[in-house]
């Protein structure tokens, strides 16, 4: 038989016998134990939960959708509880989980993400490299958190007053590998913190040989200079009307210009950059003009005339021989992969845009780091599956990978560490079967519009309190 059920000792506590070899291939147990000892210190009493076990369950919390922590632990330990020789021990209570989570804190999960989440792609991964550089993308978003007084005070709301945000929000800035959607670094802060300021916190993760794709909201002379100081290059979208002075026109139609410290705030020395301008084909632009704009403005109706404007890119790659203008225009289109990554963590991994569930700021940050660790584990499995068939990782279904990895983690408790690699191959085979692959990407343009549910109910506000009668039943207030 290819698999053999491991012997389950009955003398030890359940928390000491649990292991998940599939997940440990991404986050080794030795690394988590070392971080636990160095950051949290030695615990004098084990109880039913160890800090290492809490880390595993927090990560798996975001693989089994709509489950509580207790339900996830019950699912992960079901094999040991059913196959053990003695009666299973009682499950940890909700208070036990809260106590251990507070004891664990945030620093351990943040350090685990920084040490374990690295770029995955190699030079043979489709869409991961361009002009000899690894494609990385930076973007930010806001995440809703549980509406408690502590969360509202710490994270804040993006708007106040009568139009206040329904939930407090967490500001997130990501550094993502475009080819594999692997999140290699993240910066978290209260919602009103500037994205441009937070982006500088991503710089330590940049290495020589990377090409960073930026949206136009992030483009600044200071950030471009800081990225070049790390040995990486920049390709970003440029707003209209700035950096229009053409010092030298290159053979491919792009031109060079120099950013001056006197006009660019935060720039310490002159920086030469290259600007690329391009248009959309007029016949295609005529069709795209009829696509409804994504955002509502006072001057915009049902059409989108901005598609006919000149689109501008800025880059630190100055040589048209090394990086032709046309190839850079196609390369910048890969920046949308970071938008897909945000959609995965927000909608697909959580099924819908539900707020983070923790009630205290420290636990909110802990929960979100665990969410990103689970996302990286899924993406690591998808990349390994794509490697077995020389496929683009985009052909692997993300939601299917969540389900397959979730089942594989449970099944891996029944096999030894030596047999885990064979189970991993079978998981990859399930993801790359003919019926499971996603259709190849095609060029498409969709209206970014939202279908709102019409409702006659008022919006919930702080003054809307639920009326509760203690020690009173409905029979007590009923008069006949």
């Amino acid at each position: 038989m290819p698999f053999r059920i491991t012997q389950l000792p009955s003398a030890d506590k359940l928390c000491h016998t649990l292991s998940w070899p599939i997940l440990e291939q991404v986050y080794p147990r030795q690394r988590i134990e070392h971080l636990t000892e160095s950051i949290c210190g030695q615990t004098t009493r084990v109880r039913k939960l160890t800090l290492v076990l809490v880390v595993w369950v927090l990560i798996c919390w975001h693989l089994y959708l709509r489950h509580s922590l207790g339900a996830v632990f019950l699912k992960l330990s079901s094999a040991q509880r059913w196959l053990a020789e003695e009666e299973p021990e009682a499950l940890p209570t909700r208070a036990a989980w809260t106590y251990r989570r507070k004891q664990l804190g945030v620093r351990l999960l943040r350090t685990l993400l920084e040490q374990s989440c690295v770029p995955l792609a190699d030079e043979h991964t489709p869409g991961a490299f361009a002009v000899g550089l690894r494609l990385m993308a930076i973007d930010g978003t806001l995440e809703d958190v549980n509406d408690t007084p502590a969360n509202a005070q710490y994270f804040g709301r993006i708007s106040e007053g009568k139009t206040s945000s329904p939930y407090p929000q967490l500001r997130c800035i990501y550094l993502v590998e475009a080819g594999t959607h692997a999140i290699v670094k993240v910066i978290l802060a209260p919602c009103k913190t500037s994205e441009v300021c937070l982006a500088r916190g991503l710089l330590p993760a940049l290495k020589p040989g990377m090409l960073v794709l930026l949206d136009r909201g992030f483009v600044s002379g200071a950030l471009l200079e800081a990225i070049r100081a790390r040995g990486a290059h920049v390709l970003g979208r440029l707003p209209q009307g700035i950096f229009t002075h053409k010092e030298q026109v290159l053979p491919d139609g792009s031109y060079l210009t120099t950013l001056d410290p006197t006009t660019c705030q935060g720039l310490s020395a002159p920086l030469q950059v290259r600007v690329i301008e391009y248009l959309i084909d007029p016949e295609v632009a005529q069709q795209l003009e009829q696509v409804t704009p994504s955002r509502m403005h006072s001057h915009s109706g049902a059409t989108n005339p901005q598609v006919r404007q000149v689109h501008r890119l800025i880059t630190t790659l100055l040589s048209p021989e090394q990086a032709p203008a046309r190839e850079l225009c196609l390369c910048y289109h890969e920046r949308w992969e970071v938008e897909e990554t945000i959609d995965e963590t927000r909608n697909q991994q959580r099924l819908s845009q539900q707020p983070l569930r923790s009630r205290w700021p420290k636990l909110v940050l802990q929960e979100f780091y665990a969410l990103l660790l689970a996302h990286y584990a899924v993406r690591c499995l998808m990349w390994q599956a794509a490697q077995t068939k020389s496929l683009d990782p985009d052909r692997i279904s993300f939601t299917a990978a969540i389900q397959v990895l979730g089942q594989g983690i449970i099944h891996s408790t029944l096999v030894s560490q030596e047999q885990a690699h064979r189970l991993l191959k079978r998981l990859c085979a399930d993801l790359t079967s003919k019926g499971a692959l996603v259709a190849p990407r095609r060029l498409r343009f969709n209206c970014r519009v939202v279908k709102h549910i019409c409702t006659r109910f008022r919006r919930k506000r702080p003054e809307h309190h639920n009326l509760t009668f203690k020690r009173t039943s409905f029979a007590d207030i009923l008069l006949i």
Side-chain angles (χ1 to χ4, degrees), residues 62-113:
H62 304 283
L63 298 178
Y64 306 104
L65 308 177
R66 308 288 182 158
H67 281 62
S68 64
L69 274 176
V72 172
F73 176 74
L74 181 60
K75 181 183 287 290
L76 293 176
S77 62
S78 58
Q80 283 82 351
R81 291 172 58 82
W82 293 342
L83 297 176
E85 299 176 0
E86 300 177 353
E87 288 294 326
E89 63 184 38
L91 293 172
T93 62
R94 182 181 299 180
W97 286 108
T98 303
Y99 173 79
R100 281 303 198 190
R101 289 188 63 191
K102 290 182 178 179
Q103 189 179 18
L104 182 66
V106 181
R107 183 184 167 193
L108 189 148
L109 291 179
R110 181 176 65 244
T111 307
L112 180 62
L113 185 143

Short mmCIF file of all heavy atoms in Angstrom, two decimals, residues 62-113:
data_model
loop_
_atom_site.label_atom_id
_atom_site.label_comp_id
_atom_site.label_asym_id
_atom_site.label_seq_id
_atom_site.Cartn_x
_atom_site.Cartn_y
_atom_site.Cartn_z
N HIS A 62 -8.26 30.28 7.58
CA HIS A 62 -8.60 30.96 6.33
C HIS A 62 -8.61 30.00 5.13
O HIS A 62 -8.67 30.46 3.99
CB HIS A 62 -7.63 32.11 6.10
CG HIS A 62 -7.58 33.09 7.22
ND1 HIS A 62 -8.56 34.04 7.44
CD2 HIS A 62 -6.70 33.24 8.25
CE1 HIS A 62 -8.28 34.75 8.50
NE2 HIS A 62 -7.14 34.29 9.01
N LEU A 63 -8.52 28.71 5.41
CA LEU A 63 -8.68 27.71 4.36
C LEU A 63 -10.04 27.02 4.45
O LEU A 63 -10.56 26.53 3.44
CB LEU A 63 -7.57 26.65 4.45
CG LEU A 63 -6.14 27.15 4.26
CD1 LEU A 63 -5.16 26.01 4.45
CD2 LEU A 63 -5.96 27.79 2.89
N TYR A 64 -10.61 26.96 5.63
CA TYR A 64 -11.93 26.36 5.84
C TYR A 64 -12.91 27.49 6.08
O TYR A 64 -13.04 28.02 7.18
CB TYR A 64 -11.89 25.38 7.02
CG TYR A 64 -10.81 24.35 6.88
CD1 TYR A 64 -9.64 24.43 7.62
CD2 TYR A 64 -10.94 23.30 5.97
CE1 TYR A 64 -8.64 23.49 7.49
CE2 TYR A 64 -9.94 22.36 5.83
CZ TYR A 64 -8.79 22.46 6.59
OH TYR A 64 -7.79 21.52 6.44
N LEU A 65 -13.59 27.86 5.01
CA LEU A 65 -14.39 29.07 5.00
C LEU A 65 -15.59 28.94 5.93
O LEU A 65 -16.21 27.88 6.04
CB LEU A 65 -14.85 29.37 3.58
CG LEU A 65 -13.72 29.39 2.54
CD1 LEU A 65 -14.27 29.61 1.15
CD2 LEU A 65 -12.69 30.45 2.87
N ARG A 66 -15.92 30.03 6.58
CA ARG A 66 -17.08 30.14 7.47
C ARG A 66 -16.95 29.28 8.71
O ARG A 66 -17.96 28.93 9.32
CB ARG A 66 -18.37 29.77 6.72
CG ARG A 66 -18.56 30.51 5.41
CD ARG A 66 -18.92 31.96 5.64
NE ARG A 66 -19.16 32.65 4.39
CZ ARG A 66 -19.87 33.77 4.28
NH1 ARG A 66 -20.39 34.30 5.35
NH2 ARG A 66 -20.02 34.37 3.12
N HIS A 67 -15.76 28.89 9.09
CA HIS A 67 -15.56 28.09 10.30
C HIS A 67 -15.00 28.98 11.41
O HIS A 67 -14.21 29.90 11.15
CB HIS A 67 -14.59 26.93 10.04
CG HIS A 67 -15.21 25.77 9.35
ND1 HIS A 67 -15.75 25.86 8.09
CD2 HIS A 67 -15.39 24.47 9.74
CE1 HIS A 67 -16.22 24.67 7.73
NE2 HIS A 67 -16.02 23.82 8.71
N SER A 68 -15.37 28.68 12.63
CA SER A 68 -14.74 29.32 13.78
C SER A 68 -13.43 28.63 14.08
O SER A 68 -13.13 27.56 13.54
CB SER A 68 -15.67 29.26 14.99
OG SER A 68 -15.88 27.91 15.38
N LEU A 69 -12.64 29.22 14.98
CA LEU A 69 -11.37 28.60 15.34
C LEU A 69 -11.59 27.22 15.96
O LEU A 69 -10.86 26.27 15.65
CB LEU A 69 -10.61 29.50 16.33
CG LEU A 69 -9.74 30.60 15.74
CD1 LEU A 69 -9.14 31.45 16.84
CD2 LEU A 69 -8.66 30.03 14.85
N GLY A 70 -12.59 27.11 16.82
CA GLY A 70 -12.87 25.81 17.43
C GLY A 70 -13.28 24.77 16.41
O GLY A 70 -12.87 23.60 16.50
N ALA A 71 -14.08 25.18 15.41
CA ALA A 71 -14.51 24.24 14.37
C ALA A 71 -13.33 23.82 13.50
O ALA A 71 -13.25 22.66 13.06
CB ALA A 71 -15.60 24.87 13.53
N VAL A 72 -12.41 24.74 13.24
CA VAL A 72 -11.21 24.39 12.45
C VAL A 72 -10.35 23.39 13.22
O VAL A 72 -9.86 22.41 12.65
CB VAL A 72 -10.41 25.67 12.12
CG1 VAL A 72 -9.06 25.31 11.49
CG2 VAL A 72 -11.20 26.56 11.18
N PHE A 73 -10.17 23.62 14.50
CA PHE A 73 -9.39 22.69 15.31
C PHE A 73 -10.04 21.31 15.35
O PHE A 73 -9.35 20.28 15.26
CB PHE A 73 -9.23 23.23 16.72
CG PHE A 73 -8.52 22.30 17.66
CD1 PHE A 73 -7.15 22.09 17.57
CD2 PHE A 73 -9.22 21.60 18.63
CE1 PHE A 73 -6.49 21.23 18.42
CE2 PHE A 73 -8.58 20.74 19.49
CZ PHE A 73 -7.21 20.54 19.39
N LEU A 74 -11.36 21.27 15.45
CA LEU A 74 -12.07 19.99 15.46
C LEU A 74 -11.88 19.26 14.13
O LEU A 74 -11.70 18.04 14.10
CB LEU A 74 -13.55 20.23 15.74
CG LEU A 74 -14.45 18.99 15.82
CD1 LEU A 74 -13.99 18.06 16.94
CD2 LEU A 74 -15.90 19.39 16.03
N LYS A 75 -11.90 20.00 13.02
CA LYS A 75 -11.71 19.39 11.70
C LYS A 75 -10.28 18.86 11.55
O LYS A 75 -10.06 17.75 11.06
CB LYS A 75 -12.03 20.40 10.61
CG LYS A 75 -11.90 19.88 9.19
CD LYS A 75 -12.15 20.98 8.19
CE LYS A 75 -13.62 21.33 8.11
NZ LYS A 75 -14.42 20.26 7.49
N LEU A 76 -9.30 19.66 11.99
CA LEU A 76 -7.91 19.25 11.83
C LEU A 76 -7.54 18.07 12.72
O LEU A 76 -6.66 17.28 12.37
CB LEU A 76 -6.99 20.44 12.14
CG LEU A 76 -7.04 21.63 11.18
CD1 LEU A 76 -6.16 22.75 11.69
CD2 LEU A 76 -6.63 21.23 9.77
N SER A 77 -8.16 17.97 13.87
CA SER A 77 -7.82 16.90 14.81
C SER A 77 -8.80 15.74 14.78
O SER A 77 -8.73 14.86 15.63
CB SER A 77 -7.78 17.47 16.24
OG SER A 77 -9.05 17.98 16.62
N SER A 78 -9.68 15.72 13.79
CA SER A 78 -10.73 14.69 13.77
C SER A 78 -10.13 13.28 13.66
O SER A 78 -10.60 12.34 14.33
CB SER A 78 -11.69 14.95 12.61
OG SER A 78 -10.99 14.97 11.37
N ALA A 79 -9.09 13.09 12.85
CA ALA A 79 -8.51 11.76 12.68
C ALA A 79 -7.92 11.25 13.99
O ALA A 79 -8.15 10.11 14.40
CB ALA A 79 -7.45 11.78 11.58
N GLN A 80 -7.15 12.11 14.68
CA GLN A 80 -6.54 11.69 15.93
C GLN A 80 -7.60 11.42 17.00
O GLN A 80 -7.46 10.49 17.80
CB GLN A 80 -5.56 12.76 16.43
CG GLN A 80 -4.23 12.76 15.70
CD GLN A 80 -4.30 13.51 14.37
OE1 GLN A 80 -5.38 13.88 13.92
NE2 GLN A 80 -3.16 13.71 13.74
N ARG A 81 -8.63 12.22 17.03
CA ARG A 81 -9.66 12.04 18.06
C ARG A 81 -10.45 10.75 17.83
O ARG A 81 -10.88 10.09 18.77
CB ARG A 81 -10.60 13.25 18.06
CG ARG A 81 -9.93 14.53 18.57
CD ARG A 81 -10.85 15.73 18.38
NE ARG A 81 -12.11 15.55 19.05
CZ ARG A 81 -12.35 15.77 20.34
NH1 ARG A 81 -11.34 16.19 21.10
NH2 ARG A 81 -13.52 15.59 20.87
N TRP A 82 -10.67 10.40 16.56
CA TRP A 82 -11.47 9.21 16.27
C TRP A 82 -10.65 7.92 16.35
O TRP A 82 -11.19 6.86 16.64
CB TRP A 82 -12.10 9.34 14.88
CG TRP A 82 -13.12 10.44 14.79
CD1 TRP A 82 -13.75 11.05 15.83
CD2 TRP A 82 -13.58 11.08 13.61
NE1 TRP A 82 -14.59 12.02 15.38
CE2 TRP A 82 -14.51 12.07 14.00
CE3 TRP A 82 -13.30 10.93 12.25
CZ2 TRP A 82 -15.17 12.88 13.09
CZ3 TRP A 82 -13.97 11.74 11.35
CH2 TRP A 82 -14.89 12.70 11.76
N LEU A 83 -9.34 8.01 16.04
CA LEU A 83 -8.52 6.80 15.98
C LEU A 83 -7.72 6.55 17.25
O LEU A 83 -7.06 5.52 17.34
CB LEU A 83 -7.54 6.91 14.79
CG LEU A 83 -8.19 7.00 13.40
CD1 LEU A 83 -7.12 7.18 12.34
CD2 LEU A 83 -9.03 5.78 13.10
N ALA A 84 -7.76 7.46 18.20
CA ALA A 84 -6.99 7.26 19.43
C ALA A 84 -7.56 6.11 20.25
O ALA A 84 -8.76 5.79 20.16
CB ALA A 84 -6.98 8.55 20.25
N GLU A 85 -6.71 5.49 21.05
CA GLU A 85 -7.13 4.35 21.85
C GLU A 85 -8.03 4.78 23.02
O GLU A 85 -8.94 4.06 23.40
CB GLU A 85 -5.90 3.62 22.39
CG GLU A 85 -5.00 3.06 21.30
CD GLU A 85 -3.74 2.44 21.87
OE1 GLU A 85 -3.61 2.46 23.13
OE2 GLU A 85 -2.91 1.95 21.10
N GLU A 86 -7.76 5.93 23.61
CA GLU A 86 -8.52 6.38 24.75
C GLU A 86 -9.59 7.37 24.33
O GLU A 86 -9.65 7.80 23.18
CB GLU A 86 -7.57 7.04 25.76
CG GLU A 86 -6.49 6.10 26.28
CD GLU A 86 -5.54 6.81 27.22
OE1 GLU A 86 -5.67 8.06 27.35
OE2 GLU A 86 -4.68 6.14 27.81
N GLU A 87 -10.44 7.75 25.28
CA GLU A 87 -11.47 8.74 25.02
C GLU A 87 -10.81 10.09 24.71
O GLU A 87 -9.85 10.48 25.39
CB GLU A 87 -12.39 8.88 26.23
CG GLU A 87 -13.32 7.70 26.43
CD GLU A 87 -14.34 7.57 25.31
OE1 GLU A 87 -14.77 8.62 24.78
OE2 GLU A 87 -14.67 6.43 24.94
N PRO A 88 -11.29 10.79 23.71
CA PRO A 88 -10.67 12.08 23.37
C PRO A 88 -10.86 13.10 24.48
O PRO A 88 -11.88 13.11 25.17
CB PRO A 88 -11.40 12.49 22.09
CG PRO A 88 -12.70 11.77 22.13
CD PRO A 88 -12.43 10.47 22.83
N GLU A 89 -9.86 13.95 24.62
CA GLU A 89 -9.95 15.00 25.64
C GLU A 89 -10.93 16.08 25.21
O GLU A 89 -11.26 16.21 24.03
CB GLU A 89 -8.57 15.60 25.88
CG GLU A 89 -7.98 16.30 24.67
CD GLU A 89 -6.58 16.81 24.91
OE1 GLU A 89 -5.80 16.11 25.59
OE2 GLU A 89 -6.25 17.91 24.42
N ALA A 90 -11.40 16.85 26.17
CA ALA A 90 -12.37 17.90 25.88
C ALA A 90 -11.74 18.97 24.99
O ALA A 90 -10.54 19.24 25.04
CB ALA A 90 -12.86 18.51 27.18
N LEU A 91 -12.58 19.57 24.16
CA LEU A 91 -12.09 20.60 23.24
C LEU A 91 -11.80 21.90 23.98
O LEU A 91 -12.44 22.20 25.00
CB LEU A 91 -13.13 20.85 22.15
CG LEU A 91 -13.39 19.69 21.19
CD1 LEU A 91 -14.57 20.01 20.29
CD2 LEU A 91 -12.16 19.41 20.35
N PRO A 92 -10.85 22.70 23.50
CA PRO A 92 -10.58 24.00 24.12
C PRO A 92 -11.79 24.91 24.01
O PRO A 92 -12.52 24.90 23.01
CB PRO A 92 -9.39 24.55 23.32
CG PRO A 92 -8.79 23.36 22.66
CD PRO A 92 -9.90 22.40 22.41
N THR A 93 -12.01 25.72 25.01
CA THR A 93 -13.13 26.65 25.01
C THR A 93 -12.77 27.91 24.22
O THR A 93 -11.62 28.13 23.85
CB THR A 93 -13.50 27.03 26.45
OG1 THR A 93 -12.38 27.70 27.05
CG2 THR A 93 -13.86 25.79 27.27
N ARG A 94 -13.79 28.75 24.00
CA ARG A 94 -13.54 30.01 23.30
C ARG A 94 -12.59 30.90 24.10
O ARG A 94 -11.74 31.60 23.53
CB ARG A 94 -14.86 30.73 23.07
CG ARG A 94 -14.72 32.04 22.31
CD ARG A 94 -16.05 32.73 22.12
NE ARG A 94 -16.97 31.91 21.36
CZ ARG A 94 -18.21 32.28 21.06
NH1 ARG A 94 -18.67 33.46 21.47
NH2 ARG A 94 -19.00 31.48 20.36
N ALA A 95 -12.72 30.89 25.43
CA ALA A 95 -11.82 31.68 26.26
C ALA A 95 -10.37 31.20 26.13
O ALA A 95 -9.43 32.01 26.17
CB ALA A 95 -12.27 31.62 27.72
N ALA A 96 -10.18 29.89 25.98
CA ALA A 96 -8.83 29.36 25.82
C ALA A 96 -8.19 29.86 24.53
O ALA A 96 -7.00 30.21 24.50
CB ALA A 96 -8.86 27.83 25.85
N TRP A 97 -8.98 29.89 23.46
CA TRP A 97 -8.44 30.40 22.19
C TRP A 97 -8.08 31.88 22.31
O TRP A 97 -7.02 32.31 21.82
CB TRP A 97 -9.47 30.20 21.08
CG TRP A 97 -9.59 28.78 20.62
CD1 TRP A 97 -10.62 27.92 20.84
CD2 TRP A 97 -8.62 28.05 19.86
NE1 TRP A 97 -10.37 26.70 20.28
CE2 TRP A 97 -9.15 26.74 19.66
CE3 TRP A 97 -7.37 28.35 19.34
CZ2 TRP A 97 -8.47 25.76 18.95
CZ3 TRP A 97 -6.69 27.38 18.63
CH2 TRP A 97 -7.23 26.10 18.45
N THR A 98 -8.93 32.66 22.93
CA THR A 98 -8.65 34.09 23.09
C THR A 98 -7.40 34.31 23.94
O THR A 98 -6.56 35.16 23.62
CB THR A 98 -9.85 34.80 23.71
OG1 THR A 98 -11.01 34.57 22.90
CG2 THR A 98 -9.61 36.29 23.81
N TYR A 99 -7.27 33.54 25.01
CA TYR A 99 -6.10 33.67 25.88
C TYR A 99 -4.82 33.36 25.12
O TYR A 99 -3.83 34.11 25.20
CB TYR A 99 -6.25 32.74 27.08
CG TYR A 99 -5.02 32.67 27.96
CD1 TYR A 99 -4.74 33.67 28.88
CD2 TYR A 99 -4.13 31.60 27.86
CE1 TYR A 99 -3.61 33.60 29.68
CE2 TYR A 99 -2.99 31.52 28.65
CZ TYR A 99 -2.75 32.53 29.56
OH TYR A 99 -1.63 32.46 30.35
N ARG A 100 -4.81 32.26 24.38
CA ARG A 100 -3.60 31.89 23.64
C ARG A 100 -3.31 32.87 22.51
O ARG A 100 -2.14 33.16 22.22
CB ARG A 100 -3.76 30.48 23.08
CG ARG A 100 -3.53 29.36 24.10
CD ARG A 100 -2.17 29.46 24.73
NE ARG A 100 -1.77 28.21 25.37
CZ ARG A 100 -0.73 28.08 26.16
NH1 ARG A 100 0.02 29.14 26.42
NH2 ARG A 100 -0.42 26.92 26.70
N ARG A 101 -4.33 33.39 21.86
CA ARG A 101 -4.11 34.36 20.78
C ARG A 101 -3.48 35.64 21.32
O ARG A 101 -2.58 36.21 20.70
CB ARG A 101 -5.41 34.67 20.07
CG ARG A 101 -5.96 33.54 19.20
CD ARG A 101 -7.15 34.02 18.40
NE ARG A 101 -6.76 35.07 17.47
CZ ARG A 101 -7.63 35.82 16.80
NH1 ARG A 101 -8.93 35.64 16.98
NH2 ARG A 101 -7.20 36.74 15.96
N LYS A 102 -3.96 36.09 22.45
CA LYS A 102 -3.35 37.29 23.06
C LYS A 102 -1.92 37.01 23.49
O LYS A 102 -1.06 37.89 23.39
CB LYS A 102 -4.20 37.74 24.25
CG LYS A 102 -5.55 38.33 23.85
CD LYS A 102 -6.31 38.81 25.07
CE LYS A 102 -7.63 39.45 24.66
NZ LYS A 102 -8.42 39.92 25.84
N GLN A 103 -1.67 35.81 23.97
CA GLN A 103 -0.32 35.44 24.36
C GLN A 103 0.61 35.34 23.15
O GLN A 103 1.79 35.69 23.22
CB GLN A 103 -0.35 34.12 25.12
CG GLN A 103 0.96 33.72 25.77
CD GLN A 103 0.84 32.42 26.53
OE1 GLN A 103 -0.09 31.64 26.32
NE2 GLN A 103 1.79 32.16 27.42
N LEU A 104 0.06 34.90 22.01
CA LEU A 104 0.86 34.76 20.79
C LEU A 104 1.25 36.11 20.22
O LEU A 104 2.40 36.31 19.79
CB LEU A 104 0.08 33.94 19.76
CG LEU A 104 0.78 33.65 18.44
CD1 LEU A 104 1.98 32.73 18.66
CD2 LEU A 104 -0.21 33.02 17.46
N GLY A 105 0.32 37.05 20.17
CA GLY A 105 0.60 38.38 19.66
C GLY A 105 0.70 38.45 18.14
O GLY A 105 0.25 37.55 17.42
N VAL A 106 1.31 39.51 17.66
CA VAL A 106 1.38 39.80 16.23
C VAL A 106 2.78 39.57 15.66
O VAL A 106 2.94 39.14 14.52
CB VAL A 106 0.94 41.26 15.96
CG1 VAL A 106 0.99 41.58 14.47
CG2 VAL A 106 -0.44 41.52 16.52
N ARG A 107 3.79 39.83 16.46
CA ARG A 107 5.15 39.84 15.94
C ARG A 107 5.57 38.50 15.36
O ARG A 107 6.27 38.44 14.35
CB ARG A 107 6.11 40.23 17.08
CG ARG A 107 7.55 40.34 16.67
CD ARG A 107 8.44 40.65 17.86
NE ARG A 107 9.85 40.46 17.54
CZ ARG A 107 10.82 40.41 18.44
NH1 ARG A 107 10.52 40.52 19.73
NH2 ARG A 107 12.07 40.22 18.06
N LEU A 108 5.13 37.39 15.97
CA LEU A 108 5.54 36.08 15.49
C LEU A 108 5.03 35.82 14.08
O LEU A 108 5.79 35.38 13.21
CB LEU A 108 5.05 34.99 16.45
CG LEU A 108 5.58 33.57 16.20
CD1 LEU A 108 5.71 32.83 17.52
CD2 LEU A 108 4.69 32.78 15.26
N LEU A 109 3.76 36.11 13.83
CA LEU A 109 3.20 35.86 12.50
C LEU A 109 3.80 36.81 11.48
O LEU A 109 4.04 36.42 10.32
CB LEU A 109 1.68 36.00 12.54
CG LEU A 109 0.93 34.92 13.30
CD1 LEU A 109 -0.56 35.19 13.28
CD2 LEU A 109 1.21 33.55 12.74
N ARG A 110 4.07 38.05 11.88
CA ARG A 110 4.70 38.98 10.95
C ARG A 110 6.10 38.52 10.58
O ARG A 110 6.50 38.56 9.41
CB ARG A 110 4.74 40.39 11.56
CG ARG A 110 5.36 41.43 10.64
CD ARG A 110 5.31 42.82 11.22
NE ARG A 110 6.13 42.93 12.43
CZ ARG A 110 5.66 43.20 13.62
NH1 ARG A 110 4.36 43.37 13.80
NH2 ARG A 110 6.47 43.29 14.67
N THR A 111 6.85 38.05 11.56
CA THR A 111 8.20 37.55 11.29
C THR A 111 8.15 36.28 10.44
O THR A 111 8.99 36.10 9.54
CB THR A 111 8.93 37.27 12.61
OG1 THR A 111 8.89 38.43 13.44
CG2 THR A 111 10.37 36.89 12.36
N LEU A 112 7.19 35.42 10.71
CA LEU A 112 7.05 34.20 9.91
C LEU A 112 6.76 34.54 8.46
O LEU A 112 7.30 33.90 7.54
CB LEU A 112 5.95 33.33 10.49
CG LEU A 112 5.66 32.00 9.77
CD1 LEU A 112 6.89 31.09 9.80
CD2 LEU A 112 4.46 31.29 10.38
N LEU A 113 5.94 35.54 8.21
CA LEU A 113 5.65 35.95 6.84
C LEU A 113 6.89 36.51 6.17
O LEU A 113 7.17 36.21 5.00
CB LEU A 113 4.51 36.98 6.85
CG LEU A 113 3.97 37.43 5.49
CD1 LEU A 113 2.46 37.64 5.56
CD2 LEU A 113 4.62 38.72 5.02
#
